[in-house]
Amino acid sequence: MLQEFKTFISRGNVVELAVGIIIGAAFTGIVNSLVRDMLMPPIGWIMGGIDFSNYFLNLSGGHYESLAAAEAAEAAGAATINYGRFINALINFFIVAGALFLIVRQVNRLHFLQDSKPKAPPRQEVLLEEIRDALRARQAPAPGDTTRPGA
């Protein structure tokens, strides 16, 4: 069983997947910061000082000035639907999806460029072409010779 595990873990795909997950986690932190700290303040300013992360629907009937106050009261039984955080999560998703689309698009272009380069024919094919050309040269009549070879 230990040997199977070593074989499994040493496969290239498993290592690549692990690296991808680690990079993805780091990328998520960058995107969250981008949305929270760089994009949402100007969007909120354009929309008149709106902060999406503070939008919530109170289900318990009380009134709370902010989501933080509602969450503090949540321990006492206040229930909220935090749709502002959901809007932020959607914006995060679309930014990540857009960035991944651009990355995959560029990788596909690189693969296409590599595939479009003419590849050298296999060695067997080159040898067969040389044999064919040598046979044609032997069978071709010399200039001015009116007899056909093999006749």
Side-chain angles (χ1 to χ4, degrees):
M1 187 163 148
L2 183 60
Q3 184 61 32
E4 281 184 77
F5 180 72
K6 286 181 182 179
T7 303
F8 169 75
I9 206 70
S10 65
R11 286 186 185 160
N13 294 344
V14 174
V15 174
E16 290 171 3
L17 180 63
V19 169
I21 289 172
I22 292 168
I23 289 175
F27 189 64
T28 300
I30 292 169
V31 170
N32 285 338
S33 176
L34 173 71
V35 171
R36 182 179 54 248
D37 302 327
M38 303 289 286
L39 294 179
M40 295 314 289
I43 290 172
W45 178 73
I46 289 170
M47 297 181 76
I50 295 173
D51 179 15
F52 288 117
S53 64
N54 208 25
Y55 279 12
F56 66 98
L57 180 63
N58 185 6
L59 300 177
S60 62
H63 177 70
Y64 303 103
E65 293 298 319
S66 67
L67 181 58
E71 285 177 337
E74 203 170 303
T80 60
I81 296 177
N82 306 325
Y83 63 91
R85 288 184 180 166
F86 179 73
I87 292 171
N88 283 347
L90 282 176
I91 292 170
N92 283 354
F93 170 77
F94 285 118
I95 289 173
V96 169
L100 287 177
F101 169 75
L102 293 175
I103 290 169
V104 169
R105 186 174 175 208
Q106 290 303 320
V107 168
N108 287 341
R109 278 189 182 167
L110 290 176
H111 283 294
F112 177 74
L113 291 176
Q114 288 176 350
D115 292 342
S116 65
K117 292 180 182 176
K119 295 180 181 177
R123 177 87 175 122
Q124 302 151 303
E125 202 171 305
V126 172
L127 290 173
L128 288 172
E129 287 175 358
E130 289 174 2
I131 292 169
R132 179 200 62 202
D133 294 342
L135 288 172
R136 282 186 184 161
R138 280 178 61 194
Q139 291 180 352
D145 187 8
T146 57
T147 61
R148 288 185 8 205

